[in-house]
Amino acid sequence: MQTATPLFEAKDIARSFGGLLAVSELSFEIREREVLGLIGPNGAGKSTTFNLISGFYTPTRGRLFIDGADATGMSPERISRKGLVRTFQHGSLMRSMSVADNILIGTLGALPRAERAERVRETAGLFGLQGRLDEIAGILPHGLQRLVSIAIAFASRPRILCLDEPLTGLNQTEVAATLDVFERIRDEFGSSVLLVEHNMKAVMQVCDRIVVLHHGRMLATGTPDEIRRDPRVIEAYLGANHGH
Ligand SMILES: Nc1ncnc2c1ncn2[C@@H]1O[C@H](COP(=O)(O)OP(=O)(O)OP(=O)(O)O)[C@@H](O)[C@H]1O
Ligand SMILES: [Mg+2]
């Protein structure tokens, strides 16, 4: 059977920093309508991979494809216009602005002016922020600030939403609510989510597939059940004196 062209594909990518190979011989794809987890012990190359696929780093070798078209070396702006949008680990919100204005920023360039207000409302509703639109983002509780930064990124309705440790510092209730949003992004909007995350329980719960990195290479890939049982994965985590 002919398989569909993946939304995103990395083929044999590598990135070195001086003499250090942070990522090498890495190939994987992001499919339509999936939550894909990218995990691995500290220093495994997750953030480097994240920066490579979002255009913040250029691969030292290998190629990236979006919808089958070569996207290697494209700027982050071009990549986001092609539908792959990322968040930053330490949030990307404007602290002195309202929640509504923050989400509005995410729609600029993606939508005609007349459609933006409705998009802000719809996005706020998705993230449970409808009652907070007029509040100043910077004084919201930490968990809500994290939701606002994801809401900004999803306001343009990217086909792939890439999230760098979005669950850090969230309590159990907030984690559950955020995982729920990821499922709705997939099921109701048909987008895909790439999740770089240390919260293993959450990853196992929400991901359709997982890619495990170790020493910059792919150690394993599969469903949460396959990954959970994989002796190489267990060994890598135990051997790495994993601190999270
Ligand atoms: N800009 C850089 N310059 C030099 N070395 C780097 C740079 N970025 C990453 N590295 C190195 O590349 C390797 C992979 O780092 P990376 O940050 O991608 O790992 P990670 O999986 O995100 O780790 P963590 O779980 O701690 O966030 C590490 O050895 C790191 O020190
Ligand atoms: Mg990292």
mmCIF file with all atom_site columns, all heavy atoms in Angstrom, residues 43 45-48 89 164-165 196 198, ligand 2:
data_model
loop_
_atom_site.group_PDB
_atom_site.id
_atom_site.type_symbol
_atom_site.label_atom_id
_atom_site.label_alt_id
_atom_site.label_comp_id
_atom_site.label_asym_id
_atom_site.label_entity_id
_atom_site.label_seq_id
_atom_site.pdbx_PDB_ins_code
_atom_site.Cartn_x
_atom_site.Cartn_y
_atom_site.Cartn_z
_atom_site.occupancy
_atom_site.B_iso_or_equiv
_atom_site.pdbx_formal_charge
_atom_site.auth_seq_id
_atom_site.auth_comp_id
_atom_site.auth_asym_id
_atom_site.auth_atom_id
_atom_site.pdbx_PDB_model_num
ATOM   1  N  N   . GLY A 1 43  ? 20.279 15.870 27.686 1.00 0.00 ? 43  GLY A N   1
ATOM   2  C  CA  . GLY A 1 43  ? 21.386 15.946 26.743 1.00 0.00 ? 43  GLY A CA  1
ATOM   3  C  C   . GLY A 1 43  ? 21.241 15.028 25.545 1.00 0.00 ? 43  GLY A C   1
ATOM   4  O  O   . GLY A 1 43  ? 22.156 14.907 24.727 1.00 0.00 ? 43  GLY A O   1
ATOM   5  N  N   . GLY A 1 45  ? 19.465 15.369 22.910 1.00 0.00 ? 45  GLY A N   1
ATOM   6  C  CA  . GLY A 1 45  ? 19.351 16.052 21.621 1.00 0.00 ? 45  GLY A CA  1
ATOM   7  C  C   . GLY A 1 45  ? 17.937 16.501 21.290 1.00 0.00 ? 45  GLY A C   1
ATOM   8  O  O   . GLY A 1 45  ? 17.659 16.910 20.154 1.00 0.00 ? 45  GLY A O   1
ATOM   9  N  N   . LYS A 1 46  ? 17.058 16.492 22.264 1.00 0.00 ? 46  LYS A N   1
ATOM   10 C  CA  . LYS A 1 46  ? 15.660 16.859 22.011 1.00 0.00 ? 46  LYS A CA  1
ATOM   11 C  C   . LYS A 1 46  ? 15.514 18.318 21.584 1.00 0.00 ? 46  LYS A C   1
ATOM   12 O  O   . LYS A 1 46  ? 14.875 18.624 20.588 1.00 0.00 ? 46  LYS A O   1
ATOM   13 C  CB  . LYS A 1 46  ? 14.803 16.623 23.268 1.00 0.00 ? 46  LYS A CB  1
ATOM   14 C  CG  . LYS A 1 46  ? 14.840 15.202 23.773 1.00 0.00 ? 46  LYS A CG  1
ATOM   15 C  CD  . LYS A 1 46  ? 13.978 15.015 25.008 1.00 0.00 ? 46  LYS A CD  1
ATOM   16 C  CE  . LYS A 1 46  ? 14.448 15.812 26.207 1.00 0.00 ? 46  LYS A CE  1
ATOM   17 N  NZ  . LYS A 1 46  ? 15.765 15.379 26.734 1.00 0.00 ? 46  LYS A NZ  1
ATOM   18 N  N   . SER A 1 47  ? 16.108 19.222 22.368 1.00 0.00 ? 47  SER A N   1
ATOM   19 C  CA  . SER A 1 47  ? 15.966 20.648 22.046 1.00 0.00 ? 47  SER A CA  1
ATOM   20 C  C   . SER A 1 47  ? 16.651 20.975 20.725 1.00 0.00 ? 47  SER A C   1
ATOM   21 O  O   . SER A 1 47  ? 16.153 21.788 19.937 1.00 0.00 ? 47  SER A O   1
ATOM   22 C  CB  . SER A 1 47  ? 16.544 21.517 23.163 1.00 0.00 ? 47  SER A CB  1
ATOM   23 O  OG  . SER A 1 47  ? 15.776 21.371 24.330 1.00 0.00 ? 47  SER A OG  1
ATOM   24 N  N   . THR A 1 48  ? 17.792 20.333 20.484 1.00 0.00 ? 48  THR A N   1
ATOM   25 C  CA  . THR A 1 48  ? 18.479 20.552 19.208 1.00 0.00 ? 48  THR A CA  1
ATOM   26 C  C   . THR A 1 48  ? 17.582 20.116 18.051 1.00 0.00 ? 48  THR A C   1
ATOM   27 O  O   . THR A 1 48  ? 17.436 20.847 17.061 1.00 0.00 ? 48  THR A O   1
ATOM   28 C  CB  . THR A 1 48  ? 19.816 19.773 19.184 1.00 0.00 ? 48  THR A CB  1
ATOM   29 O  OG1 . THR A 1 48  ? 20.597 20.184 20.313 1.00 0.00 ? 48  THR A OG1 1
ATOM   30 C  CG2 . THR A 1 48  ? 20.579 20.042 17.903 1.00 0.00 ? 48  THR A CG2 1
ATOM   31 N  N   . GLN A 1 89  ? 10.563 27.311 25.475 1.00 0.00 ? 89  GLN A N   1
ATOM   32 C  CA  . GLN A 1 89  ? 10.535 26.639 26.763 1.00 0.00 ? 89  GLN A CA  1
ATOM   33 C  C   . GLN A 1 89  ? 10.124 27.593 27.884 1.00 0.00 ? 89  GLN A C   1
ATOM   34 O  O   . GLN A 1 89  ? 9.423  27.210 28.798 1.00 0.00 ? 89  GLN A O   1
ATOM   35 C  CB  . GLN A 1 89  ? 11.905 26.018 27.042 1.00 0.00 ? 89  GLN A CB  1
ATOM   36 C  CG  . GLN A 1 89  ? 11.877 25.017 28.183 1.00 0.00 ? 89  GLN A CG  1
ATOM   37 C  CD  . GLN A 1 89  ? 13.123 24.143 28.186 1.00 0.00 ? 89  GLN A CD  1
ATOM   38 O  OE1 . GLN A 1 89  ? 13.926 24.198 27.252 1.00 0.00 ? 89  GLN A OE1 1
ATOM   39 N  NE2 . GLN A 1 89  ? 13.277 23.355 29.209 1.00 0.00 ? 89  GLN A NE2 1
ATOM   40 N  N   . ASP A 1 164 ? 7.683  22.801 23.544 1.00 0.00 ? 164 ASP A N   1
ATOM   41 C  CA  . ASP A 1 164 ? 8.896  22.479 24.285 1.00 0.00 ? 164 ASP A CA  1
ATOM   42 C  C   . ASP A 1 164 ? 8.570  22.436 25.778 1.00 0.00 ? 164 ASP A C   1
ATOM   43 O  O   . ASP A 1 164 ? 8.412  23.471 26.408 1.00 0.00 ? 164 ASP A O   1
ATOM   44 C  CB  . ASP A 1 164 ? 9.952  23.555 23.998 1.00 0.00 ? 164 ASP A CB  1
ATOM   45 C  CG  . ASP A 1 164 ? 11.346 23.080 24.337 1.00 0.00 ? 164 ASP A CG  1
ATOM   46 O  OD1 . ASP A 1 164 ? 11.498 21.933 24.799 1.00 0.00 ? 164 ASP A OD1 1
ATOM   47 O  OD2 . ASP A 1 164 ? 12.287 23.878 24.142 1.00 0.00 ? 164 ASP A OD2 1
ATOM   48 N  N   . GLU A 1 165 ? 8.463  21.252 26.326 1.00 0.00 ? 165 GLU A N   1
ATOM   49 C  CA  . GLU A 1 165 ? 8.181  21.043 27.746 1.00 0.00 ? 165 GLU A CA  1
ATOM   50 C  C   . GLU A 1 165 ? 7.024  21.898 28.257 1.00 0.00 ? 165 GLU A C   1
ATOM   51 O  O   . GLU A 1 165 ? 7.184  22.663 29.214 1.00 0.00 ? 165 GLU A O   1
ATOM   52 C  CB  . GLU A 1 165 ? 9.452  21.278 28.569 1.00 0.00 ? 165 GLU A CB  1
ATOM   53 C  CG  . GLU A 1 165 ? 10.597 20.430 28.035 1.00 0.00 ? 165 GLU A CG  1
ATOM   54 C  CD  . GLU A 1 165 ? 11.581 19.989 29.109 1.00 0.00 ? 165 GLU A CD  1
ATOM   55 O  OE1 . GLU A 1 165 ? 11.243 20.055 30.300 1.00 0.00 ? 165 GLU A OE1 1
ATOM   56 O  OE2 . GLU A 1 165 ? 12.676 19.564 28.737 1.00 0.00 ? 165 GLU A OE2 1
ATOM   57 N  N   . VAL A 1 196 ? 7.801  17.763 23.169 1.00 0.00 ? 196 VAL A N   1
ATOM   58 C  CA  . VAL A 1 196 ? 9.069  17.469 23.851 1.00 0.00 ? 196 VAL A CA  1
ATOM   59 C  C   . VAL A 1 196 ? 8.766  17.599 25.328 1.00 0.00 ? 196 VAL A C   1
ATOM   60 O  O   . VAL A 1 196 ? 8.360  18.673 25.788 1.00 0.00 ? 196 VAL A O   1
ATOM   61 C  CB  . VAL A 1 196 ? 10.174 18.467 23.455 1.00 0.00 ? 196 VAL A CB  1
ATOM   62 C  CG1 . VAL A 1 196 ? 11.431 18.241 24.300 1.00 0.00 ? 196 VAL A CG1 1
ATOM   63 C  CG2 . VAL A 1 196 ? 10.504 18.336 21.977 1.00 0.00 ? 196 VAL A CG2 1
ATOM   64 N  N   . HIS A 1 198 ? 9.329  15.952 29.562 1.00 0.00 ? 198 HIS A N   1
ATOM   65 C  CA  . HIS A 1 198 ? 9.957  15.056 30.538 1.00 0.00 ? 198 HIS A CA  1
ATOM   66 C  C   . HIS A 1 198 ? 8.932  14.315 31.397 1.00 0.00 ? 198 HIS A C   1
ATOM   67 O  O   . HIS A 1 198 ? 9.277  13.341 32.052 1.00 0.00 ? 198 HIS A O   1
ATOM   68 C  CB  . HIS A 1 198 ? 10.870 15.861 31.480 1.00 0.00 ? 198 HIS A CB  1
ATOM   69 C  CG  . HIS A 1 198 ? 12.247 16.067 30.932 1.00 0.00 ? 198 HIS A CG  1
ATOM   70 N  ND1 . HIS A 1 198 ? 13.088 15.020 30.658 1.00 0.00 ? 198 HIS A ND1 1
ATOM   71 C  CD2 . HIS A 1 198 ? 12.916 17.190 30.588 1.00 0.00 ? 198 HIS A CD2 1
ATOM   72 C  CE1 . HIS A 1 198 ? 14.229 15.494 30.185 1.00 0.00 ? 198 HIS A CE1 1
ATOM   73 N  NE2 . HIS A 1 198 ? 14.150 16.807 30.121 1.00 0.00 ? 198 HIS A NE2 1
HETATM 74 MG MG  . MG  B 2 .   ? 16.255 20.390 26.096 1.00 0.00 ? 2   MG  B MG  1
#
